[in-house]
């Protein structure tokens, strides 16, 4: 049984339907009508596997909480997505086991168990590695226009990819462990808000890709979202330089 939740409209009042749209709508039904069955089949076949990712993503729209909590949920959603869909080891299992054995056997016996336990998850990609891969989406269609958009897709104003990864790590670590040494390095306010917008665009991009929606539609939609962050930043900088208040 499929349950539908939403507002009822009189079908004849098409203008009423047209004007009642979610403000941050990603893809319109009209755009995927040719691939609708494929999208639905993908949803039903993948939604269970990706449920942790979807649940964390939905908190951004349906849970009223702090900006820091939204940030943590989105980072966790991206980590979970990477874990569920990408290669989740650094070395082949046998090679990693041999490496651990080499390290442990060289230690005094009283320290071996502690070190072995500490290295239990050392073959998993670090947050840095996961973000590195997710911030660099794979190009599917080989064309100069597509390749250029993919290369510049997930960026923030005046920041390179390595800067974004550093900000994600520092802000995540501070808001998880509250180490005072990381307080100054963690993002707050407008900078954090823009990072949250970027992370939200990233998870939407990957979820839409899982549905196999037309590549150009997903790419252009994501490109527009990220460009709006740049536009927002430009407006803020302009108001600051002219001493004009936005409020």
């Amino acid at each position: 049984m499929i349950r539908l939740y939403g507002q009822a409209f009189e079908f004849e009042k098409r203008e009423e339907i047209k004007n009642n749209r979610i403000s941050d709508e990603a893809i319109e039904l009209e755009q995927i009508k040719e691939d609708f069955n494929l999208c639905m089949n993908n949803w039903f076949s993948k939604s269970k596997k990706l449920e942790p990712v979807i649940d964390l993503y939905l908190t951004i729209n349906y849970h009223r909480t702090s900006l820091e909590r939204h940030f943590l949920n989105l980072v966790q959603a991206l980590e979970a997505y990477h874990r569920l869909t990408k290669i989740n080891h650094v070395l082949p299992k046998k090679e990693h086991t041999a490496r651990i054995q080499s390290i442990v056997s060289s230690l005094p016996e009283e320290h071996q168990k502690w070190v072995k336990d500490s290295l239990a998850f050392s073959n998993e990609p670090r947050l840095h590695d996961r973000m590195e891969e997710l911030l660099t989406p794979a190009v599917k269609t080989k064309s100069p226009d597509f390749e250029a958009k993919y290369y510049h897709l997930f960026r923030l104003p005046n920041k390179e990819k390595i800067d974004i990864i550093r900000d994600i790590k520092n802000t995540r670590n501070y808001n998880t462990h509250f180490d005072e040494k990381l307080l100054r390095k963690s993002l707050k306010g407008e900078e954090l808000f823009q990072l949250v917008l970027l992370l939200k665009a990233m998870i939407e991009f990957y979820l839409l890709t899982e549905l196999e929606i037309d590549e150009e539609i997903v790419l252009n939609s994501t490109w527009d979202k990220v460009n709006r962050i740049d536009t927002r930043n430009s407006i803020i900088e302009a108001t600051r330089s002219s001493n004009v208040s936005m409020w």
Side-chain angles (χ1 to χ4, degrees):
M1 179 176 65
I2 299 175
R3 293 178 178 175
L4 300 178
Y5 296 88
Q7 183 176 346
F9 298 98
E10 293 183 30
F11 189 73
E12 290 76 15
K13 297 182 179 179
R14 295 178 181 271
E15 192 62 32
E16 181 182 357
I17 299 173
K18 181 179 178 181
N19 292 333
N20 195 289
R21 293 179 177 174
I22 299 172
S23 59
D24 193 27
E25 189 172 26
I27 302 293
E28 294 189 5
L29 180 60
E30 181 69 19
Q31 294 176 277
I32 62 169
K33 62 180 182 180
E34 300 296 330
D35 299 316
F36 182 75
N37 288 338
L38 174 63
C39 292
M40 292 304 295
N41 286 335
N42 280 323
W43 169 257
F44 286 118
S45 65
K46 297 179 180 181
S47 59
K48 187 63 179 177
K49 175 183 177 181
L50 295 173
E51 186 175 4
V53 182
I54 296 167
D55 285 348
L56 286 163
Y57 163 70
L58 289 177
T59 63
I60 199 78
N61 293 318
Y62 298 109
H63 289 189
R64 289 190 176 184
T65 186
S66 66
L67 190 57
E68 288 78 10
R69 175 50 56 186
H70 283 316
F71 165 79
L72 290 173
N73 285 345
L74 287 171
V75 172
Q76 188 179 357
L78 286 165
E79 283 188 289
Y81 177 80
H82 189 279
R83 181 185 297 275
L84 292 168
T85 63
K86 311 293 183 184
I87 295 174
N88 198 45
H89 59 262
V90 178
L91 295 176
K93 186 175 180 179
K94 287 185 178 180
E95 189 174 339
H96 176 66
T97 300
R99 179 173 63 173
I100 294 293
Q101 185 59 38
S102 174
I103 294 170
V104 171
S105 62
S106 67
L107 298 170
E109 187 175 350
E110 63 268 25
H111 300 318
Q112 288 184 2
K113 184 179 185 305
W114 179 80
V115 171
K116 189 174 183 179
D117 290 345
S118 298
L119 295 175
F121 299 99
S122 59
N123 199 34
E124 291 192 3
R126 301 168 301 161
L127 175 62
H128 184 112
D129 302 320
R130 296 187 194 278
M131 290 299 133
E132 171 85 29
E133 186 170 1
L134 293 176
L135 282 164
T136 315
V139 179
K140 295 180 180 178
T141 300
K142 300 294 183 180
S143 77
D145 183 51
F146 274 48
E147 290 177 4
K149 280 190 174 181
Y150 272 114
Y151 183 79
H152 296 286
L153 189 58
F154 297 130
R155 296 293 184 269
L156 286 173
N158 306 315
K159 290 189 178 182
E160 299 295 331
K161 180 169 64 175
I162 190 65
D163 300 318
I164 296 172
I165 295 173
R166 180 200 62 218
D167 287 341
I168 291 172
K169 291 194 301 181
N170 287 337
T171 306
R172 196 281 296 268
N173 289 340
Y174 172 72
N175 285 285
T176 302
H177 306 293
F178 299 102
D179 185 342
E180 289 295 324
K181 291 182 290 185
L182 291 173
L183 178 58
R184 290 185 179 181
K185 297 179 180 180
S186 65
L187 299 189
K188 305 164 196 67
E190 179 62 29
E191 277 194 298
L192 180 57
F193 183 71
Q194 291 185 20
L195 181 56
V196 165
L197 292 178
L198 179 68
L199 297 176
K200 182 173 182 286
M202 288 173 64
I203 198 65
E204 288 171 351
F205 169 84
Y206 284 109
L207 289 176
L208 291 172
T209 299
E210 290 293 330
L211 295 178
E212 295 185 71
I213 293 174
D214 180 80
E215 180 186 9
E216 186 173 9
I217 292 174
V218 176
L219 181 59
N220 288 338
S221 172
T222 308
W223 181 262
D224 289 342
K225 292 175 193 174
V226 178
N227 275 346
R228 286 199 290 270
I229 302 174
D230 190 62
T231 301
R232 175 186 176 89
N233 189 71
S234 297
I235 293 172
I236 291 173
E237 291 299 319
T239 57
R240 285 173 179 167
S241 61
S242 60
N243 294 319
V244 176
S245 173
M246 292 183 66
W247 312 111

